[in-house]
Amino acid sequence: MPVQRLPGVHTGQSPADVQAEVERGILTSTLGRAVAWARKQSMWPVTFGLACCAIEMMATGAGDYDLARWGMELFRASPRQADLMIVAGRLSQKMAPVLRTIYDQMPEPKWVISMGVCASSGGMFNNYGLVQGVDTVVPVDIYVPGCPPRPEMLMYGILRLHEKVQREGRFK
Ligand code: SF4
């Protein structure tokens, strides 16, 4: 059977070499790459929605879009069991300390996606009541634009995050 691609395991080998290894039943990698591959294929998002963007996030987790294909259909109610925070919607000044507390309770390694223009920059809400960029509260790995971003856009952001996690694994 021809090998089109090996999801996530980037060994730096040519496709022909990989094909030969698969046929022999052997696949080589580094421990760092293998750990990064496992991490990106089993991210669990924390259940956390702030505003209208959260509806699109919930739709992304439903059957039509099927986050289960990446092992991340389980939105966790406890931050201690989650390693991905999707900041879905505008963040009020009052809610900012709560968001930071939830982030602090998540174990390392952990990642953050800022979903929608409100989370990333305050969007149309240029006023003192809302945080003008969630990256002033938690470190953000991926920004997803739009108002609201469609599930496909969030999934694109998730895939970019997967690439980032896999890239970081190259240096370990
Ligand atoms: S970006 Fe749009 S959809 Fe998302 S929270 Fe702001 S106003 Fe709502």
Side-chain angles (χ1 to χ4, degrees), residues 51-72:
C52 9
C53 274
I55 304 298
E56 299 294 320
M57 180 181 71
M58 287 182 248
T60 313
D64 277 358
Y65 296 97
D66 189 20
L67 284 181
R69 74 184 100 171
W70 300 313
M72 54 189 305

Side-chain angles (χ1 to χ4, degrees), residues 50-54 56 88-90 115-119 122-125 146-149:
L50 288 168
C52 9
C53 274
E56 299 294 320
R90 51 190 173 269
M115 180 180 181
V117 290
C118 287
M124 68 195 89
F125 302 103
C147 173

Side-chain angles (χ1 to χ4, degrees), residues 10 14 16 19 30-32 37 45 49 59 78 89 93 143 156-157:
H10 302 294
S14 72
Q19 172 82 45
T30 66
L31 182 59
W37 178 81
S78 167
Q93 298 286 356
Y143 297 87
Y156 184 80

Side-chain angles (χ1 to χ4, degrees), residues 61-104:
D64 277 358
Y65 296 97
D66 189 20
L67 284 181
R69 74 184 100 171
W70 300 313
M72 54 189 305
E73 73 277 23
L74 282 179
F75 278 74
R76 305 308 296 175
S78 167
R80 299 190 196 285
Q81 298 169 350
D83 53 7
L84 173 62
M85 173 181 273
I86 301 173
V87 183
R90 51 190 173 269
L91 176 65
S92 68
Q93 298 286 356
K94 200 171 178 181
M95 193 64 178
V98 179
L99 180 126
R100 181 67 208 199
T101 300
I102 292 172
Y103 176 82
D104 287 340

